[in-house]
């Protein structure tokens, strides 16, 4: 259905005309006063018939709008999820190191208090848990690479 001069204009239509007026002003086709007058008339216009005279004497821009030049960046090799998993893995290693450190300190204090080296029981805390984390870490690196 063709748009007639008596059809009411939308806000989107007004914005398109405002964009053309801004471009014409930036190109030096309109003085500041003329630009302001046309904008005032534009935002008080209600129909297409009132919008058309505002841009009748301006050329239609045939160039596509310019876009900001964004340098090509290679797409991330991995989605954001693996980064979160890597962070979780780092947290698990930190917890493991803290638990092992606490157990080592307790073992050293007990050994010093008794006067001789006690059975090295912290290995039962560090060993299995560390082996599981090492396996998970190696698996993640193998899958990632």
């Amino acid at each position: 259905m063709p748009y007639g001069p008596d059809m009411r204009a939308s806000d989107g239509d007004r914005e398109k005309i405002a964009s053309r007026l801004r471009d014409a002003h930036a190109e030096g086709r309109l003085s500041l006063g003329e630009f302001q007058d046309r904008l005032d008339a534009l935002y008080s216009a209600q129909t297409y018939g009132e919008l058309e005279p505002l841009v009748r004497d301006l050329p239609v821009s045939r160039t596509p709008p310019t876009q900001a030049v964004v340098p090509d960046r290679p797409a991330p090799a991995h989605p954001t999820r693996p980064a979160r998993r890597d962070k979780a893995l780092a947290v698990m290693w930190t917890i493991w190191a803290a638990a092992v450190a606490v157990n080592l300190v307790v073992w050293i204090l007990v050994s010093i208090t008794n006067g001789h080296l006690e059975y090295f029981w912290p290995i039962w805390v560090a060993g299995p848990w560390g082996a599981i984390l090492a396996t998970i870490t190696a698996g993640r690196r193998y899958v990632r690479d």
Side-chain angles (χ1 to χ4, degrees), residues 36-50:
Q36 289 294 333
D37 292 342
R38 289 187 188 204
L39 277 182
D40 292 341
L42 170 68
Y43 288 115
S44 64
Q46 294 182 354
T47 64
Y48 286 111
E50 295 172 277

Side-chain angles (χ1 to χ4, degrees), residues 10 13 24 30 50 63 71-72 74-75 91 94 98 102 114-115 131 142:
S10 70
D13 298 324
L30 296 175
E50 295 172 277
T63 59
D72 290 337
V91 168
T94 303
V102 167
N114 289 340
Y142 177 77

Side-chain angles (χ1 to χ4, degrees), residues 11-101:
D11 288 339
D13 298 324
R14 286 184 196 86
E15 286 305 315
K16 288 177 187 174
I17 300 295
S19 175
R20 283 185 61 191
L21 291 174
R22 279 190 292 275
D23 290 344
H25 175 62
E27 293 169 354
R29 297 181 191 277
L30 296 175
S31 68
L32 182 58
E34 198 174 10
F35 174 64
Q36 289 294 333
D37 292 342
R38 289 187 188 204
L39 277 182
D40 292 341
L42 170 68
Y43 288 115
S44 64
Q46 294 182 354
T47 64
Y48 286 111
E50 295 172 277
L51 293 180
E52 195 273 329
L54 299 174
V55 291
R56 182 182 300 147
D57 60 340
L58 299 175
V60 177
S61 176
R62 299 282 184 209
T63 59
T66 59
Q67 296 179 353
V69 177
V70 178
D72 290 337
R73 285 189 293 166
H78 313 289
T80 56
R81 293 297 260 183
R84 189 175 296 160
R85 289 187 192 137
D86 289 344
K87 192 176 210 178
L89 202 55
V91 168
M92 286 191 283
W93 274 111
T94 303
I95 294 170
W96 174 84
V100 169

